[in-house]
Amino acid sequence: MLKSNLSRFPIAVFFLFSLLVVKPLHAEEVVVYSARIEQLIKPMFDAFTKETGIKVKYVTDNEGALLARLEAEGKNTPADMLITADAGNLWAAAQAGLLQPVKSAVLENNIPAHLRDPGNEWFGLSIRARTLIYNTKKVKPEELSTYEDLADAKWNKRLCLRTSKKVYNQSLVAMMIAEHGEAETEKIVKGWVANLAVDPLSDDTRALEFVAAGKCDVTLVNTYYFGRLMKKDPNLPLAIFWPNQNTNGVHVNVSGAGVTRHARHEQAAVKLLEFLSSDKAQNLFADVNMEYPVNPKIAADPFVAAWGGFKQNPINLVKAGELQTTAVKLMDRAGYQ
Ligand code: FE
């Protein structure tokens, strides 16, 4: 007995050695390129590292720069994951061959089908709703109904819109084309342009400020811009309206992520993606930017939830990408600058 135990001794020592020495040398990590700023991503990465021991390194920049960098680095990229806002951007990354499909029952279970790529190359992780905001002194909510109705002559010189150059509006119009077809959507967008109170504005916040100042009565923005403004000044005469509740629902988009085509830490990246869709990270991902969790089991932040529930448009967001060029051309023809 004693002899055979002794003969195992070197194996036991080697095993211990490998635990103490070899494992730390191969400590797992995952590298993320993120168009979301550090303060929006670091809390989730810290939680992930705490739970799994996998370190997360990250680079933040705007999505154009990150996509160009991924493309230039090709096979040599250190990045395992791309995080960015808007399905239009995620689709463009997939289209450029920068992402790879991930087959995961966890992701399929946590993320509704319309908020992820049917080809599994990108996954929505938080929902941003693009909805109507009106001046409470100038508009009664009963006057509002749908996105389409904003093309009606009754809104003449009462509408403010952000520029069509932003992907948010390109995605919105692309999704409208998916729903109504090109001819009908062009009519609607032409109607919007005819109803503009001022030329298209540079960003969503500016559009809200114009509505608050009474320069126009209603606009079309992502709700978190409304949230930011109202946190700063709760007395602004602004309120949310959820359009299309009797038809196809509010237009939603996502912030999301995908695993890069040339990921070196593919398994760790998939683990991180699954973690971001889980109940442990969903509030961290959504709440910091006043967005909505994609995981339907998770409730929104109370400040956001107070804006009320809404039915969302169920069309798959891949259309925001597929029809993006068509949308840009249509907005150009309609005179929407
Ligand atoms: Fe934004």
Side-chain angles (χ1 to χ4, degrees):
M1 272 305 258
L2 185 67
K3 198 180 172 206
S4 77
N5 270 347
L6 276 177
S7 70
R8 279 189 205 131
F9 184 66
I11 299 170
V13 168
F14 177 76
F15 182 68
L16 254 178
F17 178 81
S18 71
L19 274 182
L20 293 171
V21 178
V22 178
K23 197 151 183 214
L25 282 179
H26 291 93
E28 274 188 290
E29 63 170 33
V30 51
V31 181
V32 179
Y33 282 4
S34 173
R36 269 166 97 88
I37 57 172
E38 180 172 21
Q39 72 188 85
L40 299 187
I41 51 175
K42 193 168 181 301
M44 314 169 312
F45 293 164
D46 289 346
F48 176 70
T49 303
K50 206 174 155 198
E51 179 165 307
T52 62
I54 301 171
K55 289 204 179 84
V56 183
K57 290 184 183 162
Y58 53 87
V59 171
T60 62
D61 208 332
N62 66 55
E63 65 264 351
L66 292 176
L67 290 189
R69 189 163 164 176
L70 274 173
E71 229 158 333
E73 288 168 345
K75 278 193 293 223
N76 299 317
T77 186
D80 302 303
M81 180 185 280
L82 172 72
I83 294 182
T84 187
D86 206 285
N89 289 330
L90 290 160
W91 178 88
Q95 196 65 9
L98 302 174
L99 304 176
Q100 63 169 297
V102 173
K103 196 77 185 132
S104 157
V106 174
L107 294 172
E108 277 171 31
N109 195 41
N110 286 343
I111 307 169
H114 67 294
L115 305 176
R116 51 184 159 84
D117 175 25
N120 295 312
E121 296 203 21
W122 50 264
F123 299 83
L125 293 169
S126 61
I127 296 173
R128 43 228 350 248
R130 199 151 182 81
T131 194
L132 308 187
I133 306 287
Y134 62 97
N135 183 311
T136 51
K137 290 179 188 156
K138 301 177 79 180
V139 178
K140 291 191 190 79
E142 308 86 82
E143 294 175 71
L144 293 160
S145 58
T146 63
Y147 300 97
E148 294 80 1
D149 177 65
L150 294 179
D152 190 279
K154 77 177 187 218
W155 297 106
N156 190 30
K157 298 217 163 47
R158 299 173 74 189
L159 178 65
C160 272
L161 289 175
R162 183 183 193 156
T163 165
S164 66
K165 305 294 176 278
K166 180 74 181 179
V167 69
Y168 296 171
N169 285 331
Q170 296 168 3
S171 289
L172 171 71
V173 172
M175 294 303 282
M176 290 175 70
I177 295 170
E179 190 175 338
H180 299 299
E182 234 183 300
E184 179 64 20
T185 304
E186 189 166 337
K187 251 192 258 171
I188 296 162
V189 175
K190 275 184 176 153
W192 289 354
V193 173
N195 287 339
L196 286 177
V198 297
D199 286 343
L201 299 159
S202 58
D203 56 66
D204 282 18
T205 302
R206 197 143 170 78
L208 289 169
E209 286 166 352
F210 268 59
V211 176
K215 289 175 192 161
C216 36
D217 296 357
V218 60
T219 190
L220 191 43
V221 296
N222 288 353
T223 54
Y224 55 88
Y225 292 104
F226 169 74
R228 286 177 201 168
L229 214 57
M230 294 309 274
K231 271 196 176 167
K232 254 194 267 171
D233 186 357
N235 298 319
L236 288 174
L238 296 175
I240 278 195
F241 182 83
W242 301 116
N244 298 55
Q245 293 304 283
N246 298 320
T247 56
N248 221 356
V250 168
H251 277 284
V252 292
N253 207 311
V254 290
S255 273
V259 174
T260 62
R261 171 131 314 176
H262 301 292
R264 289 177 202 177
H265 312 98
E266 190 190 317
Q267 282 183 352
V270 172
K271 252 190 225 172
L272 176 56
L273 198 51
E274 290 177 343
F275 178 80
L276 295 177
S277 74
S278 74
D279 47 356
K280 285 170 202 140
Q282 272 288 285
N283 280 119
L284 290 176
F285 201 102
D287 296 0
V288 280
N289 196 34
M290 287 185 262
E291 293 176 281
Y292 296 86
V294 281
N295 188 327
K297 294 189 286 285
I298 310 303
D301 177 78
F303 181 79
V304 169
W307 300 335
F310 58 91
K311 176 169 106 181
Q312 35 173 307
N313 192 300
I315 298 174
N316 192 295
L317 277 173
V318 75
K319 293 290 174 199
E322 288 173 358
L323 293 166
Q324 191 177 69
T325 309
T326 312
V328 170
K329 286 183 189 156
L330 185 152
M331 289 190 283
D332 196 42
R333 285 198 304 276
Y336 180 10
Q337 294 183 320

